[in-house]
């Protein structure tokens, strides 16, 4: 930084999604230069070459938008949905957003770096969002704190942060919170079948606490218990699953059953986390808590009620909702790029 406190360099954060890339710029004083969601088409369905070019375009556009010269960019943080290695190689079996064969085993990080000729730092989007949640909640204390974030969307994403940094794991698979088995006794109704996850496990967190879990597992069961319910008239289960949140906000009994089971699943996940990493904070984000303030607080309180902590932990722990989640992927990717610069 110069003597006037002017930022002398920046990093750019790029979050690659199924339809859009989101971009942000973070300057060397720690200030985000983009206040709103800044998006452009991701074109991932057109294959790697088109998608990499689209990310280059996102970079150019966000620099133009903020008036930052390209020479000031020291690094680019990239986030994509997983599964991918810690270095950004897409899983050899592909992934939901990267199903075409050319993506399998594709080195996303290296390809983008080759395209833009700026160092690229990779994190999966769940870890990036967890880093942003951690940093925005703790501020200056972020390097001293730990947290676990669970983000309920189509799947269940998130991450684990220790001393302000993402725990990535040996193979890059740490923080895959959705595929942790949880005890189901007392969570499921007596005659409720064990929920199944797309990963092949029965009764993991994602099989319950995700939009996919609602559609495949929770809604089919609970609809049978509520024969006259409006949602029987939805065009499809997928459509009905998307409508459940609105019913939850209106305190509809069927919807509350579903969200209570989701909150219990997260509470049981956090109970496991409390013994593994004993974090300072637990964060919850995603579509499930993008509802009314009353509903969001009810959901968070229900998660907390189902998290079994020791007395010593209860005294210091925090539970919070992740705000600005739509920008969390890009912002977290940018924060990770700054951490990488600090280390090199
Ligand atoms: Zn799973």
């Amino acid at each position: 930084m110069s003597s006037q406190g002017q930022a002398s360099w920046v990093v750019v954060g790029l979050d690659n999604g199924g339809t859009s890339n989101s971009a942000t710029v973070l300057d060397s004083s720690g200030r985000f230069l983009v206040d709103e969601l800044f998006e452009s088409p991701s074109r991932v369905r057109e294959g790697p070459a088109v998608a990499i070019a689209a990310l280059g375009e996102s970079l150019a556009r966000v620099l133009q938008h903020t008036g930052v010269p390209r020479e000031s960019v020291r690094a680019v943080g990239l986030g994509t949905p997983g599964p991918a290695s810690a270095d950004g190689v897409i899983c050899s079996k592909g992934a939901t957003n990267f199903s075409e064969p050319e993506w399998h085993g594709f080195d996303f990080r290296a390809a983008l770096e080759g395209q833009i000729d700026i160092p690229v730092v990779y994190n999966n989007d769940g870890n990036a969002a967890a880093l942003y949640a951690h940093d925005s909640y703790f501020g200056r204390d972020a390097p001293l704190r730990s947290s676990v974030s669970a983000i309920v969307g189509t799947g269940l994403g998130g991450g684990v942060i220790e001393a302000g940094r993402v725990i990535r794991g040996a193979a890059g698979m740490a923080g895959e919170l959705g595929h942790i088995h949880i005890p189901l006794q007392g969570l499921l109704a007596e005659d409720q079948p064990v929920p199944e996850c797309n990963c092949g496990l029965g009764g993991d967190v994602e099989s319950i606490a995700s939009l996919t879990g609602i559609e495949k597992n929770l809604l089919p069961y609970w609809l049978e218990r509520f024969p006259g319910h409006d949602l029987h008239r939805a065009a499809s289960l997928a459509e009905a699953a998307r409508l459940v949140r609105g019913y939850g906000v209106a305190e509809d009994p069927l919807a509350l059953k579903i969200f209570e089971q989701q909150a219990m699943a997260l509470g049981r996940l956090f109970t496991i986390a409390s013994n593994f990493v004993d974090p300072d904070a637990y964060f919850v984000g995603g579509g499930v808590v993008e509802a009314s303030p009353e509903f969001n607080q009810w959901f968070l309180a229900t998660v907390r009620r189902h998290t079994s902590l020791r007395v010593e932990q209860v005294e210091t722990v925090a539970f919070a909702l992740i705000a600005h989640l739509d920008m969390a992927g890009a912002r977290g990717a940018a924060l990770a790029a700054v951490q990488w610069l600090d280390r090199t």
Side-chain angles (χ1 to χ4, degrees):
M1 279 187 282
S2 73
S3 53
Q4 288 85 29
Q6 287 271 312
S8 54
W9 52 266
V10 303
V11 298
V12 171
L14 298 174
D15 181 35
N16 173 259
T19 52
S20 303
N21 293 324
S22 161
T24 195
V25 178
L26 175 62
D27 75 15
S28 54
S29 73
R31 196 166 57 105
F32 286 104
L33 305 185
V34 180
D35 294 325
E36 72 281 22
L37 189 61
F38 188 83
E39 290 187 311
S40 57
S42 70
R43 305 178 69 180
V44 288
R45 286 180 186 84
E46 295 170 63
V50 174
I52 294 292
L55 279 165
E57 178 66 22
S58 301
L59 170 66
R61 286 186 49 191
V62 80
L63 292 177
Q64 189 183 33
H65 177 71
T66 49
V68 172
R70 194 181 173 96
E71 306 79 67
S72 303
V73 183
R74 286 220 182 147
V76 168
L78 169 68
T80 79
S85 76
D87 294 327
V89 177
I90 301 299
C91 176
S92 57
K93 291 180 186 165
T96 307
N97 278 8
F98 310 111
S99 52
E100 289 84 5
E102 345 166 47
W103 282 111
H104 298 187
F106 181 74
D107 191 339
F108 210 139
R109 191 207 66 78
L112 181 62
E113 192 169 273
Q115 167 96 13
I116 62 178
D117 202 24
I118 298 169
V120 174
V121 180
Y122 180 83
N123 276 279
N124 76 51
D125 54 2
N127 283 346
L131 184 59
Y132 171 70
H134 182 92
D135 202 79
S136 56
Y137 185 84
F138 287 115
R140 294 157 68 100
D141 285 342
L144 308 172
R145 302 277 183 248
S146 57
S147 64
V148 172
S149 291
I151 300 164
V152 184
T154 310
L156 188 284
V160 179
I161 309 294
E162 175 60 36
R165 295 186 184 279
V166 171
I167 304 276
R168 293 149 73 98
M173 309 291 172
E176 290 288 340
L177 306 179
H179 309 294
I180 293 175
H181 264 132
I182 50 169
L184 298 175
Q185 200 180 15
L187 190 163
L188 298 181
E190 262 181 29
D191 57 347
Q192 190 171 0
V194 171
E196 287 179 6
C197 181
N198 286 340
C199 76
L201 290 177
D204 64 10
V205 187
E206 183 170 301
S207 72
I208 298 164
S210 67
L211 185 61
T212 310
I214 293 181
E215 180 187 338
K216 281 183 56 180
N217 301 313
L218 305 186
L219 193 55
Y221 174 79
W222 286 108
L223 274 174
E224 271 187 42
R225 266 83 212 150
F226 289 82
H229 200 279
D230 294 353
L231 285 174
H232 283 284
R233 291 192 290 279
S236 64
L237 263 177
E239 173 65 15
R242 279 192 293 277
L243 296 172
V244 172
R245 183 175 61 188
Y247 283 86
V249 170
E251 300 186 18
D252 171 77
L254 176 149
L256 291 182
K257 287 282 186 199
I258 286 174
F259 290 118
E260 186 176 29
Q261 290 192 319
Q262 293 201 319
M264 288 174 82
L266 295 182
R268 289 177 180 205
L269 169 68
F270 289 165
T271 301
I272 293 169
S274 76
N275 289 293
F276 249 103
V277 290
D278 184 23
D280 291 292
Y282 299 92
F283 299 125
V284 176
V288 72
V289 287
E290 285 158 19
S292 66
E294 295 76 18
F295 178 86
N296 296 349
Q297 289 305 328
W298 169 81
F299 189 82
L300 186 67
T302 309
V303 171
R304 182 169 189 153
R305 198 168 68 245
H306 289 283
T307 306
S308 302
L309 300 174
R310 294 188 175 80
V311 175
E312 295 84 349
Q313 293 173 312
V314 170
E315 284 169 6
T316 58
V317 77
F319 282 74
L321 300 168
I322 303 175
H324 306 301
L325 190 70
D326 52 353
M327 293 193 285
R331 288 188 162 189
L335 290 165
V338 170
Q339 290 187 350
W340 178 81
L341 286 169
D342 285 345
R343 282 198 301 275
T344 52

